[in-house]
Coordinates of all heavy atoms in Angstrom, one line a residue:
K1008 N 0.9 -1.2 0.0 CA 0.0 0.0 0.0 C 0.9 1.2 0.0 O 0.6 2.2 -0.7 CB -0.9 0.0 1.2 CG -2.1 -1.0 1.1 CD -3.0 -0.8 2.3 CE -4.2 -1.7 2.3 NZ -5.0 -1.6 3.5
I1009 N 1.9 1.3 0.8 CA 2.8 2.3 0.9 C 3.5 2.6 -0.5 O 3.6 3.7 -0.9 CB 3.9 2.1 2.0 CG1 3.3 2.1 3.4 CG2 5.0 3.2 1.9 CD1 4.1 1.7 4.5
L1010 N 4.1 1.5 -1.0 CA 4.7 1.5 -2.4 C 3.7 2.1 -3.5 O 4.1 3.0 -4.3 CB 5.4 0.3 -2.8 CG 6.5 -0.3 -1.9 CD1 6.8 -1.7 -2.2 CD2 7.7 0.7 -1.9
D1011 N 2.5 1.6 -3.5 CA 1.5 2.0 -4.5 C 1.2 3.5 -4.3 O 1.2 4.2 -5.3 CB 0.3 1.2 -4.4 CG 0.3 -0.2 -4.9 OD1 1.1 -0.4 -6.0 OD2 -0.3 -1.1 -4.5
Y1012 N 1.0 3.9 -3.1 CA 0.6 5.3 -2.9 C 1.8 6.2 -3.1 O 1.6 7.3 -3.8 CB 0.2 5.5 -1.4 CG -0.2 6.9 -1.1 CD1 -1.5 7.3 -1.4 CD2 0.6 7.8 -0.3 CE1 -2.0 8.5 -1.1 CE2 0.1 9.0 -0.1 CZ -1.2 9.4 -0.5 OH -1.6 10.7 -0.1
A1013 N 3.0 5.8 -2.9 CA 4.2 6.7 -3.1 C 4.4 6.9 -4.7 O 4.5 8.0 -5.2 CB 5.4 5.9 -2.6
W1014 N 4.1 5.7 -5.4 CA 4.3 5.8 -6.9 C 3.1 6.8 -7.4 O 3.3 7.6 -8.3 CB 4.2 4.5 -7.5 CG 4.6 4.5 -8.9 CD1 3.8 4.6 -10.1 CD2 5.9 4.4 -9.5 NE1 4.5 4.6 -11.2 CE2 5.9 4.5 -10.9 CE3 7.2 4.3 -8.8 CZ2 7.0 4.4 -11.7 CZ3 8.3 4.3 -9.6 CH2 8.2 4.3 -11.0
E1015 N 2.0 6.5 -6.9 CA 0.8 7.4 -7.4 C 1.0 8.8 -7.2 O 0.7 9.7 -7.9 CB -0.5 7.0 -6.6 CG -1.7 7.7 -6.8 CD -2.8 7.5 -5.8 OE1 -2.9 6.3 -5.3 OE2 -3.5 8.3 -5.5
K1016 N 1.7 9.2 -6.1 CA 2.0 10.6 -5.8 C 3.3 11.2 -6.4 O 3.7 12.3 -6.1 CB 2.0 10.8 -4.2 CG 0.7 10.5 -3.5 CD -0.3 11.5 -4.0 CE -1.6 11.2 -3.4 NZ -2.7 12.2 -3.9
G1017 N 3.9 10.4 -7.2 CA 5.0 10.9 -8.1 C 6.4 10.6 -7.5 O 7.4 11.2 -8.1
I1018 N 6.5 9.8 -6.5 CA 7.8 9.4 -6.0 C 8.4 8.3 -6.9 O 7.8 7.3 -7.2 CB 7.6 8.8 -4.6 CG1 7.2 9.9 -3.7 CG2 9.0 8.3 -4.1 CD1 6.8 9.5 -2.2
R1019 N 9.6 8.6 -7.4 CA 10.3 7.7 -8.3 C 11.6 7.2 -7.8 O 12.3 6.4 -8.5 CB 10.5 8.4 -9.7 CG 9.1 8.8 -10.4 CD 8.4 7.6 -10.8 NE 7.2 7.9 -11.6 CZ 6.0 8.0 -11.0 NH1 5.8 7.8 -9.6 NH2 4.9 8.2 -11.6
H1020 N 12.0 7.6 -6.6 CA 13.3 7.3 -6.0 C 13.0 6.5 -4.7 O 12.2 7.0 -3.9 CB 14.1 8.4 -5.8 CG 14.6 9.1 -7.0 ND1 13.9 9.8 -7.8 CD2 16.0 9.1 -7.5 CE1 14.7 10.3 -8.9 NE2 15.9 9.8 -8.6
F1021 N 13.7 5.4 -4.5 CA 13.5 4.5 -3.4 C 14.8 4.0 -2.8 O 15.7 3.7 -3.6 CB 12.6 3.3 -3.8 CG 11.2 3.6 -4.2 CD1 11.1 4.0 -5.6 CD2 10.2 3.5 -3.3 CE1 9.7 4.4 -6.0 CE2 8.9 3.8 -3.8 CZ 8.7 4.2 -5.2
D1022 N 14.9 4.0 -1.5 CA 16.1 3.6 -0.8 C 16.0 2.3 -0.2 O 15.0 2.1 0.6 CB 16.5 4.7 0.2 CG 17.9 4.3 0.9 OD1 18.9 4.4 0.3 OD2 17.8 3.9 2.0
T1023 N 16.9 1.3 -0.4 CA 16.8 0.1 0.2 C 18.1 -0.5 0.6 O 19.2 0.2 0.4 CB 15.9 -0.9 -0.7 OG1 15.7 -2.1 0.0 CG2 16.6 -1.1 -2.0
A1024 N 18.2 -1.7 0.9 CA 19.4 -2.4 1.2 C 19.2 -4.0 1.2 O 18.1 -4.4 1.6 CB 20.0 -2.0 2.5
P1025 N 20.3 -4.7 1.0 CA 20.0 -6.2 1.0 C 19.7 -6.7 2.4 O 19.2 -7.8 2.5 CB 21.4 -6.8 0.4 CG 22.3 -5.7 0.6 CD 21.6 -4.4 0.4
T1026 N 20.1 -5.9 3.4 CA 19.8 -6.3 4.8 C 18.3 -6.1 5.2 O 18.0 -6.5 6.2 CB 20.8 -5.7 5.7 OG1 20.8 -4.3 5.6 CG2 22.3 -6.2 5.5
Y1027 N 17.7 -5.2 4.4 CA 16.3 -4.8 4.7 C 15.4 -6.0 4.2 O 15.7 -6.6 3.2 CB 15.9 -3.5 4.0 CG 16.6 -2.3 4.4 CD1 16.4 -1.1 3.7 CD2 17.5 -2.3 5.5 CE1 17.2 0.0 4.0 CE2 18.2 -1.1 5.8 CZ 18.1 0.1 5.0 OH 18.7 1.2 5.3
K1028 N 14.4 -6.2 5.0 CA 13.4 -7.2 4.5 C 12.5 -6.7 3.3 O 11.8 -7.4 2.8 CB 12.5 -7.6 5.7 CG 13.3 -8.4 6.9 CD 12.3 -8.7 7.9 CE 13.1 -9.5 9.1 NZ 12.2 -9.8 10.2
S1029 N 12.7 -5.4 3.0 CA 12.0 -4.9 1.9 C 12.6 -5.0 0.6 O 11.8 -4.7 -0.4 CB 11.8 -3.3 2.3 OG 12.9 -2.7 2.3
Q1030 N 13.7 -5.3 0.4 CA 14.4 -5.2 -0.9 C 13.8 -6.2 -1.9 O 13.5 -5.8 -3.0 CB 16.0 -5.5 -0.8 CG 16.6 -5.5 -2.2 CD 18.0 -5.0 -2.1 OE1 18.3 -3.9 -1.8 NE2 18.9 -5.9 -2.6
K1031 N 13.4 -7.3 -1.4 CA 12.7 -8.4 -2.3 C 11.3 -7.9 -2.6 O 10.8 -8.1 -3.7 CB 12.7 -9.8 -1.6 CG 14.1 -10.4 -1.6 CD 14.0 -11.8 -1.1 CE 15.3 -12.5 -1.2 NZ 15.2 -13.9 -0.6
I1032 N 10.6 -7.3 -1.6 CA 9.3 -6.7 -1.9 C 9.3 -5.7 -2.9 O 8.4 -5.6 -3.8 CB 8.7 -6.3 -0.5 CG1 8.4 -7.3 0.4 CG2 7.4 -5.4 -0.8 CD1 7.9 -7.0 1.8
L1033 N 10.3 -4.8 -2.8 CA 10.5 -3.7 -3.8 C 10.7 -4.3 -5.1 O 10.2 -3.8 -6.2 CB 11.6 -2.8 -3.4 CG 11.8 -1.5 -4.2 CD1 10.5 -0.7 -4.2 CD2 13.0 -0.7 -3.5
G1034 N 11.5 -5.3 -5.2 CA 11.7 -6.1 -6.5 C 10.5 -6.6 -7.1 O 10.3 -6.5 -8.3
E1035 N 9.7 -7.2 -6.2 CA 8.4 -7.7 -6.6 C 7.5 -6.6 -7.2 O 6.8 -6.7 -8.2 CB 7.7 -8.5 -5.5 CG 8.3 -9.8 -5.1 CD 7.7 -10.3 -3.8 OE1 6.8 -9.8 -3.4 OE2 8.2 -11.4 -3.4
F1036 N 7.5 -5.5 -6.5 CA 6.7 -4.3 -6.9 C 7.1 -3.8 -8.2 O 6.2 -3.5 -9.1 CB 6.8 -3.3 -5.8 CG 6.2 -1.9 -6.1 CD1 4.8 -1.8 -6.0 CD2 6.9 -0.8 -6.5 CE1 4.2 -0.6 -6.3 CE2 6.3 0.4 -6.8 CZ 4.9 0.5 -6.7
I1037 N 8.5 -3.7 -8.5 CA 8.9 -3.2 -9.7 C 8.5 -4.2 -10.9 O 8.1 -3.7 -11.9 CB 10.4 -3.2 -9.7 CG1 10.9 -2.0 -8.7 CG2 11.1 -2.8 -11.1 CD1 12.4 -2.0 -8.3
K1038 N 8.6 -5.5 -10.7 CA 8.4 -6.5 -11.7 C 6.9 -6.6 -12.0 O 6.5 -6.5 -13.2 CB 8.9 -7.8 -11.2 CG 8.7 -8.9 -12.4 CD 9.4 -10.3 -11.9 CE 9.2 -11.3 -13.0 NZ 9.8 -12.6 -12.6
I1039 N 6.0 -6.5 -11.0 CA 4.6 -6.7 -11.3 C 4.1 -5.5 -12.0 O 3.2 -5.6 -12.9 CB 3.9 -6.8 -9.9 CG1 4.1 -8.1 -9.3 CG2 2.4 -6.6 -10.1 CD1 3.6 -8.2 -7.8
N1040 N 4.6 -4.2 -11.7 CA 4.2 -3.0 -12.4 C 5.0 -2.6 -13.6 O 4.8 -1.5 -14.1 CB 4.1 -1.9 -11.3 CG 3.1 -2.2 -10.2 OD1 1.8 -2.1 -10.5 ND2 3.5 -2.6 -9.0
N1041 N 5.9 -3.4 -14.0 CA 6.8 -3.1 -15.1 C 7.4 -1.7 -15.0 O 7.4 -0.8 -16.0 CB 6.0 -3.2 -16.3 CG 5.5 -4.6 -16.7 OD1 6.2 -5.6 -16.5 ND2 4.2 -4.7 -17.0
L1042 N 8.1 -1.4 -14.0 CA 8.7 -0.2 -13.6 C 10.2 0.0 -13.9 O 10.8 1.1 -13.5 CB 8.4 0.2 -12.1 CG 6.9 0.1 -11.7 CD1 6.8 0.5 -10.2 CD2 6.0 1.1 -12.5
E1043 N 10.7 -1.0 -14.6 CA 12.2 -1.1 -14.7 C 12.8 0.2 -15.3 O 13.9 0.6 -14.9 CB 12.6 -2.2 -15.6 CG 12.3 -3.6 -14.9 CD 10.9 -4.1 -15.2 OE1 10.1 -3.4 -15.7 OE2 10.6 -5.3 -14.7
K1044 N 12.1 0.8 -16.2 CA 12.6 1.9 -17.0 C 12.3 3.2 -16.3 O 12.8 4.3 -16.6 CB 12.1 2.0 -18.4 CG 12.5 0.8 -19.2 CD 12.0 0.9 -20.6 CE 12.5 -0.3 -21.5 NZ 12.0 -0.2 -22.9
E1045 N 11.5 3.3 -15.2 CA 11.1 4.5 -14.7 C 11.6 4.8 -13.2 O 11.7 5.9 -12.8 CB 9.6 4.6 -14.6 CG 8.9 4.5 -16.0 CD 7.3 4.6 -15.8 OE1 6.8 5.6 -15.4 OE2 6.6 3.5 -16.0
I1046 N 11.8 3.7 -12.6 CA 12.2 3.7 -11.1 C 13.7 3.9 -10.9 O 14.5 3.6 -11.8 CB 11.7 2.4 -10.4 CG1 11.6 2.7 -8.8 CG2 12.7 1.3 -10.7 CD1 10.8 1.5 -8.1
N1047 N 14.0 4.6 -9.8 CA 15.5 4.9 -9.4 C 15.7 4.4 -8.0 O 15.0 4.7 -7.1 CB 15.7 6.4 -9.4 CG 15.6 7.0 -10.8 OD1 16.4 6.9 -11.6 ND2 14.5 7.7 -11.1
I1048 N 16.7 3.4 -8.0 CA 16.9 2.7 -6.7 C 18.3 3.1 -6.2 O 19.2 3.1 -6.8 CB 16.7 1.2 -6.9 CG1 15.5 0.7 -7.4 CG2 17.0 0.5 -5.6 CD1 14.3 1.0 -6.5
F1049 N 18.2 3.4 -4.8 CA 19.4 3.5 -4.0 C 19.5 2.2 -3.2 O 18.7 2.1 -2.4 CB 19.4 4.7 -3.1 CG 19.5 6.1 -3.8 CD1 18.8 7.1 -3.2 CD2 20.1 6.2 -5.0 CE1 18.8 8.4 -3.9 CE2 20.0 7.4 -5.7 CZ 19.5 8.5 -5.0
S1050 N 20.6 1.4 -3.4 CA 20.8 0.2 -2.5 C 22.1 0.3 -2.0 O 22.8 1.3 -1.9 CB 20.6 -1.0 -3.4 OG 20.6 -2.2 -2.5
K1051 N 22.5 -0.8 -1.2 CA 23.8 -0.7 -0.5 C 24.6 -2.0 -0.7 O 24.1 -3.0 -1.0 CB 23.5 -0.5 1.0 CG 22.8 0.8 1.3 CD 22.6 1.0 2.7 CE 21.9 2.4 2.9 NZ 20.5 2.5 2.4

């Protein structure tokens, strides 16, 4: 819900890390919505 709302409101940059439990969720969100060409990721 947070990711969907963020995208809806124009957020295109997301910060994550392999140690976060969210990185795989973010990957799923990107793949499901075909966002590979639009999204900007900061990882670690």
Side-chain angles (χ1 to χ4, degrees):
K1008 285 183 180 180
I1009 292 168
L1010 294 172
D1011 280 330
Y1012 185 76
W1014 194 265
E1015 176 191 329
K1016 293 300 178 181
I1018 296 172
R1019 297 293 181 265
H1020 290 71
F1021 296 79
D1022 180 76
T1023 187
T1026 54
Y1027 299 168
K1028 294 180 180 180
S1029 62
Q1030 181 149 296
K1031 287 184 179 179
I1032 290 178
L1033 188 53
E1035 291 171 5
F1036 176 75
I1037 292 168
K1038 186 175 181 179
I1039 290 169
N1040 294 285
N1041 299 312
L1042 305 178
E1043 294 87 350
K1044 294 181 180 180
E1045 298 178 71
I1046 200 165
N1047 296 283
I1048 302 294
F1049 294 150
S1050 190
K1051 296 180 180 68

